[in-house]
Amino acid sequence: MQLPDAGALVALFDAVLHSVWLLPVLAVLIAFDGPFPVLPSETLLTVGAAAAFGTGDVVGVLGLFLASMVGSMLGDVAVYALGRSSNRLLRGAGQKDDGLGAWVRRNLWSRPIVACVGARLVPGGRLVSTAACGRVRLPVRMFLPATAASSAIWGVYMLLVGAVLGPITKGNPLLCLAAGMIMAVVTAGGFEAARRIRRRVLARRAAATVAPVATSEPALAR
């Protein structure tokens, strides 16, 4: 079987990254990534940003930011609506007592922007925070500024990642794709490692507080 030519692959990816359909497709993927966080929207945004920064395409960078904002807010509104209706598609998202969900619920009413922005930067946190907003019926007037701020900060963060990768990849589509996938894996792995370390620390603290209570009981008379 004949292997595909490397030059043909580069040309194909380059055509995709410079297609007029890139921004609409990216916005749709980011929107659907809200209720179904399995789509490669972050990787595609990072790859597009790396390619745009690598070639100095300022207009392309602005277009990517706008597409990320539109797609992100549309997806957040959809999840918010599903949360308000308690739709089973969310499968309890926003109600779990897993650290992140509990933190979001504690801060949602007093600091909705902080809660949404903080959760958005954690893998899977977008679904948790926006679903929680709907579950607790956070007013729309409070939800929209929160989702706009979280979408903007997330978009800027992803573009900054692309800006870092741009000079390295020099706008090469294949290198941008490889770098974007590596960054996605490293980021997810880093957050997962931090989560496990946090759980172990909390477990040790809980054990340390229980131990003195157990040893403070009077000894039985012989």
Side-chain angles (χ1 to χ4, degrees), residues 66-175:
L66 291 177
S68 68
M69 278 287 297
V70 171
S72 178
M73 293 191 67
L74 287 177
D76 288 355
V77 169
V79 175
Y80 173 81
L82 290 174
R84 286 181 67 93
S85 62
S86 297
N87 196 300
R88 293 183 179 180
L89 288 175
L90 296 181
R91 297 181 181 179
Q95 293 179 317
K96 297 180 180 179
D97 293 325
D98 58 349
L100 177 61
W103 178 84
V104 168
R105 290 193 299 274
R106 284 197 305 269
N107 294 274
L108 206 52
W109 283 97
S110 59
R111 298 181 296 175
I113 293 180
V114 173
C116 289
V117 171
R120 185 59 184 265
L121 299 178
V122 178
R126 177 189 182 188
L127 178 60
V128 172
S129 61
T130 50
C133 289
R135 298 285 191 193
V136 303
R137 296 188 175 276
L138 189 73
V140 175
R141 69 178 186 277
M142 299 174 66
F143 171 72
L144 289 181
T147 185
S150 64
S151 298
I153 292 177
W154 174 78
V156 170
Y157 168 72
M158 298 306 298
L159 291 178
L160 288 177
V161 174
V164 173
L165 298 177
I168 300 175
T169 60
K170 304 294 184 182
N172 185 293
L174 291 181
L175 292 179

Side-chain angles (χ1 to χ4, degrees), residues 10-29:
V10 172
L12 175 62
F13 281 111
D14 187 65
V16 171
L17 292 177
H18 292 88
S19 171
V20 295
W21 292 101
L22 174 64
L23 297 182
V25 169
L26 179 62
V28 171
L29 284 177

